[in-house]
Amino acid sequence: MRFSFDKAACQNTRRALRREWLLTNGLGDYSSSSILCCNTRKYHGLLTVNTPMGRHVLLSTLEESVSGGGREFFFSTRQHPGTLFPHGHEYLEGFHLDQWPRSVYRAGEVTLSRELLLVSGQSRLVLRYEISGPGGTPPLTLRVKPLLAFRSFHALTRANSMLRQDTTPAQGGFGIRPYESLPPLYVQALGSPDPENRNKDNGVVFTAAPDWYRNVVYFEEGERGFDDAEDLFMPGLLEISLPPLPKGGCVYVTAGTEPCLENLGEIWKAESLARVRAHKTGRGLAGQLAQAGEQFCIETASGRPTVIAGYHWFDDWGRDTLISLPGLTFHAGREDFGLRVMAELARHIRDGLVPNMFSESGDHAYNSVDASLWYAFALQHLLVAIPDGLAWVRQHAWEALKNIIKGYRRGPGMGIFVDAEGLLHAGDAQTQLTWMDAQAGGAPVTPRHGCPVEVNALWYNTLALADNLALAFHEPELAGESLLSAMRGAFLRRFWTPDDGGHLGDVWRDGILDHSVRPNQIMAVSLPHAVLADEYQAQVVECVRNRLLTPYGLRTLAPDDPAYKGLYQGGPESRDAAYHQGTVWPWLLGQYADALLHTAWDVNGAVQGLLETIKPLFCRHLAEAGVGGISEIFDGSPPYGPGGCITQAWSVAECLRMLKRLKEAAPGVFQRWEEDVAHCLAHPDSGDTTGVCRVTMKLRASARAGEE
């Protein structure tokens, strides 16, 4: 997909500053900013690298200008208290995002475009600037001042005497290592050689001029209740000769943790071609989400394959990884990576538990009751997607699955144990072991200790899968039909309530059922081995559709509940108080679609109804927040503003898996709907002067006129 924001959209700074782009390189590094290339978060940066101590913003941004004929035009911008400065956004004609971002600026009759790429497998950013304009234009120079942060992406920095300001020469630029504990940074350029000036290195002159740019503001941090200003260090000025007009041409700038010894033009050509080739077969919405999903699949410096839970601030989490893995890998053409992650996770199981959070030091956090149970879910999708998956499971995952079951039966601690009726108990009043794990004021916001409904649905599904595999591998059953039948009966007695047309309660604790209407109940219907008796399943789906389904996902609590919070906003405590108390989560759409298809008597009608409901998620949201991705969460109440991470692994993965399931179930219905979405994206409403984003989406040769 190609996203094109017109001039009016770029000039509407209120909206433009909330549209963000992201580039990754498979190492956990990233480059990200707003479509104005004005950073609005402390997490933004042109080069953020993944180090053994976590991710660090090295190069925050650039101050860029073009000078010539006694004039200078700035085309970059930052936010300072009460103002944007410089006013480079005023020259911005358009912003485009396909495989990488491209900004087009115009000053008089001269046009300058800027494109950015991260080189796959290297901590290196490459920028390409292309100049065009009429003859008679005086010689032009691109002036670039790098603004360095060199701090954790969770932190901010201020001017300080500890920073080492000295630079070392590098071909076409300089190197600098402000702090010994962090990698060095090399900023180099390739300009248009000037035969009249022999002092220029490849058309580039670097002049050291150390200074601090003070009080750079990130308004998104202020809105989230955090400190929002910092100082950035400027080591000096790069002056890069631009090609003479009217012929014009390109110059390049790179920033990396090692010196660049190759030709920058060749690096750009190779990387851009590789990206285009890798994604040229991606078609439709599923193709876009598969491309977005690649951003989460990384290999750490130690060689560990893993999944980043969300950008910008999440690291790798066990639960998020296993929920996301089918959509990111097995259903997205990355089967080998998915298998590597599954094998790696199996290595770290302890007392039946998959780590909730991973650490490069090996000190993983084992504080989740359900992460291990999602391992079975991922295995089920592996077996569907990979022809010889059964042989792989027997060799690499079967012992891990048996160890999970044994560990839960022994009791791994934290109040996790199997009770007398075979159901799973977890936690106490001080712990949060399920996915609804937010705390405010030191206490759980959504207390779920006891027997949570989805944990027991997952536990049953795990045991049933294990029995099927045992049969295939000619081994003794781990549960047996007698136990599974007893579990189904106990589950129904504990969780079913006829209130409001019938639904499943959320947590059973000490003989008392929490009757809250939450989306967790859908997993008693959606999982491959459903614990809920068939005759009750349609009522659960109906309850969820009527009270929790929105155009962007499922609410975490019904709106008529006194504890419901429809807005996710304010400082950390305010946001945590709403996180699972009504806030919408897109990842739940995958489970909802599975349950809907499992219970639908009119499949075409069910698919049509769901697709029409979620149409805004694709017609509107793909061009906002993290452009091309799907946000972590949305407000529970209209207009359902996006929040949290700008793009989240399980949001992207489960929405992709949902689309593929719906297409498989009703291909004709899906094709007509997707063509309609493509038309909406290509022809957005433009009834005001706030600007639009037009999106071109490749479908198929028979797509309607106006779409590729």
Side-chain angles (χ1 to χ4, degrees):
M1 295 176 80
R2 177 180 171 84
F3 299 84
S4 297
F5 293 85
D6 64 14
K7 182 175 181 178
C10 295
Q11 300 300 317
N12 182 352
T13 56
R14 181 178 63 85
R15 292 187 183 179
L17 289 171
R18 295 186 186 275
R19 272 60 174 168
E20 304 170 50
W21 54 266
L22 173 74
L23 292 174
T24 62
N25 64 354
L27 300 177
D29 302 349
Y30 68 79
S31 180
S32 182
S33 188
S34 71
I35 67 171
L36 301 186
C37 281
C38 174
N39 293 346
T40 62
R41 304 178 185 272
K42 62 189 175 188
Y43 297 98
H44 280 159
L46 292 181
L47 184 61
T48 298
V49 299
N50 193 20
T51 77
M53 299 175 294
R55 282 172 282 180
H56 285 69
V57 180
L58 302 188
L59 176 61
S60 177
T61 188
L62 302 172
E63 183 173 274
E64 303 152 302
S65 63
V66 171
S67 66
R71 304 180 68 185
E72 185 171 15
F73 296 90
F74 287 85
F75 56 96
S76 58
T77 190
R78 304 178 300 278
Q79 187 174 14
H80 291 275
T83 188
L84 291 175
F85 181 85
H87 302 291
H89 61 286
E90 296 177 358
Y91 299 104
L92 186 57
E93 293 284 307
F95 175 86
H96 311 278
L97 181 66
D98 192 343
Q99 305 302 325
W100 58 84
R102 178 174 181 261
S103 304
V104 180
Y105 300 86
R106 185 178 180 88
E109 296 183 276
V110 174
T111 298
L112 182 76
S113 69
R114 181 217 299 116
E115 300 170 84
L116 304 95
L117 277 176
L118 279 186
V119 179
S120 299
Q122 299 181 37
S123 295
R124 178 167 305 285
L125 170 77
V126 183
L127 302 96
R128 180 171 75 167
Y129 300 86
E130 184 172 8
I131 189 84
S132 63
T137 302
L140 300 176
T141 299
L142 174 65
R143 294 163 57 88
V144 175
K145 296 178 180 178
L147 304 184
L148 312 185
F150 270 80
R151 40 84 176 165
S152 166
F153 72 161
H154 293 306
L156 292 169
T157 190
R158 286 293 188 181
N160 65 88
S161 60
M162 302 296 293
L163 183 143
R164 298 188 304 203
Q165 300 186 1
D166 54 300
T167 60
T168 57
Q171 181 179 349
F174 68 94
I176 187 171
R177 190 166 194 171
Y179 305 104
E180 190 63 33
S181 60
L182 292 176
L185 182 70
Y186 295 88
V187 181
Q188 300 164 263
L190 175 63
S192 178
D194 182 355
E196 297 181 3
N197 191 336
R198 298 178 182 275
N199 294 324
K200 290 191 176 182
D201 184 0
N202 292 323
V204 181
V205 171
F206 171 68
T207 304
D211 198 2
W212 285 94
Y213 280 42
R214 300 177 186 270
N215 293 321
V216 178
V217 173
Y218 310 120
F219 77 85
E220 292 275 9
E221 300 307 320
E223 291 185 357
R224 297 174 65 236
F226 298 119
D227 292 340
D228 63 354
E230 73 173 339
D231 304 331
L232 298 174
F233 177 67
M234 194 280 294
L237 169 66
L238 283 167
E239 295 180 284
I240 307 162
S241 295
L242 290 167
L245 299 175
K247 185 177 181 180
C250 300
V251 299
Y252 301 87
V253 174
T254 184
T257 56
E258 296 181 355
C260 183
L261 305 178
E262 303 172 61
N263 181 277
L264 288 177
E266 293 301 316
I267 293 176
W268 178 276
K269 181 179 179 181
E271 183 64 25
S272 59
L273 284 175
R275 286 180 178 257
V276 170
R277 287 170 180 161
H279 298 291
K280 68 179 180 180
T281 58
R283 300 254 171 177
L285 294 170
Q288 170 60 30
L289 294 185
Q291 178 180 331
E294 186 177 24
Q295 298 173 326
F296 305 101
C297 302
I298 75 162
E299 187 170 295
T300 67
S302 64
R304 181 171 60 88
T306 191
V307 172
I308 294 292
Y311 289 97
H312 302 87
W313 47 81
F314 284 141
D315 292 314
D316 45 340
W317 295 58
R319 176 193 298 117
D320 297 58
T321 294
L322 288 164
I323 293 174
S324 304
L325 211 59
L328 294 183
T329 63
F330 303 134
H331 299 295
R334 300 187 190 95
E335 294 87 353
D336 287 347
F337 183 83
L339 294 177
R340 289 179 61 206
V341 173
M342 291 293 287
E344 180 68 19
L345 288 170
R347 292 181 53 242
H348 298 287
I349 292 172
R350 189 181 76 188
D351 299 326
L353 299 180
V354 168
N356 187 33
M357 292 182 289
F358 289 90
S359 168
E360 278 299 279
S361 69
D363 187 22
H364 310 313
Y366 292 84
N367 58 338
S368 165
V369 64
D370 57 324
S372 298
L373 306 179
W374 286 108
Y375 191 85
F377 171 80
L379 282 179
Q380 287 165 320
H381 285 275
L382 181 163
L383 290 167
V384 170
I386 299 178
D388 58 346
L390 195 63
W392 188 94
V393 169
R394 184 166 194 175
Q395 182 177 353
H396 300 283
W398 177 227
E399 288 302 315
L401 186 66
K402 290 191 289 185
N403 287 337
I404 288 170
I405 294 170
K406 293 174 184 176
Y408 276 70
R409 284 174 168 167
R410 287 194 302 264
M414 298 180 293
I416 299 173
F417 61 86
V418 179
D419 68 20
E421 292 191 290
L423 299 186
L424 200 57
H425 180 283
D428 56 39
Q430 283 72 49
T431 58
Q432 288 289 71
L433 304 182
T434 74
W435 79 278
M436 292 185 167
D437 55 1
Q439 296 199 14
V445 175
T446 312
R448 303 194 71 232
H449 58 287
C451 295
V453 64
E454 85 285 2
V455 169
N456 280 282
L458 287 161
W459 173 234
Y460 177 89
N461 180 66
T462 299
L463 291 174
L465 169 65
D467 274 3
N468 284 354
L469 291 175
L471 181 64
F473 299 150
H474 306 290
E475 294 188 17
E477 294 177 324
L478 280 84
E481 177 53 32
S482 177
L483 174 59
L484 294 176
S485 176
M487 288 177 64
R488 292 194 296 270
F491 182 89
L492 183 64
R493 288 192 302 274
R494 293 191 191 184
F495 289 101
W496 181 255
T497 172
D499 295 352
D500 301 321
H503 70 277
L504 294 172
D506 194 56
V507 179
W508 186 92
R509 182 187 309 121
D510 298 329
I512 300 173
L513 179 64
D514 174 3
H515 288 244
S516 299
V517 176
R518 296 188 181 273
N520 303 306
Q521 62 182 305
I522 201 70
M523 291 168 218
V525 183
S526 64
L527 293 170
H529 297 286
V531 66
L532 182 63
D534 290 349
E535 58 265 35
Y536 298 94
Q537 293 179 5
Q539 290 166 272
V540 168
V541 175
E542 185 73 9
C543 172
V544 172
R545 175 170 56 241
N546 291 338
R547 303 179 70 179
L548 301 177
L549 180 64
T550 77
Y552 299 93
L554 301 188
R555 294 185 181 96
T556 41
L557 186 63
D560 58 356
D561 193 294
Y564 173 80
K565 295 185 182 297
L567 296 178
Y568 178 84
Q569 61 184 12
E573 190 162 314
S574 173
R575 286 182 283 111
D576 285 343
Y579 206 34
H580 302 111
Q581 294 295 97
T583 296
V584 169
W585 292 73
W587 80 266
L588 293 163
L589 285 171
Q591 297 299 316
Y592 177 77
D594 288 341
L596 178 69
L597 293 175
H598 184 67
T599 58
W601 59 271
D602 175 10
V603 172
N604 280 358
V607 170
Q608 179 71 43
L610 177 55
L611 287 173
E612 288 304 316
T613 297
I614 63 173
K615 192 174 178 181
L617 178 63
F618 300 99
C619 284
R620 293 180 55 185
H621 179 63
L622 287 180
E624 62 184 10
V627 177
I630 298 180
S631 292
E632 176 190 7
I633 52 177
F634 294 80
D635 288 335
S637 297
Y640 309 108
C645 288
I646 63 168
T647 184
Q648 188 84 352
W650 61 13
S651 297
V652 170
E654 281 294 87
C655 285
L656 182 150
R657 194 177 65 81
M658 170 193 67
L659 291 176
K660 290 204 165 188
R661 282 228 62 194
L662 297 178
K663 181 178 181 178
E664 181 182 83
V669 170
F670 185 89
Q671 178 178 334
R672 290 188 294 273
W673 174 82
E674 188 174 39
E675 289 178 353
D676 191 36
V677 170
H679 183 79
C680 291
L681 289 168
H683 305 89
D685 293 336
S686 55
D688 56 28
T689 59
T690 58
V692 297
C693 174
R694 290 181 171 82
V695 183
T696 302
M697 179 170 67
K698 295 179 181 179
L699 291 177
R700 56 196 66 82
S702 60
R704 296 189 331 204
E707 293 105 40
E708 292 185 6

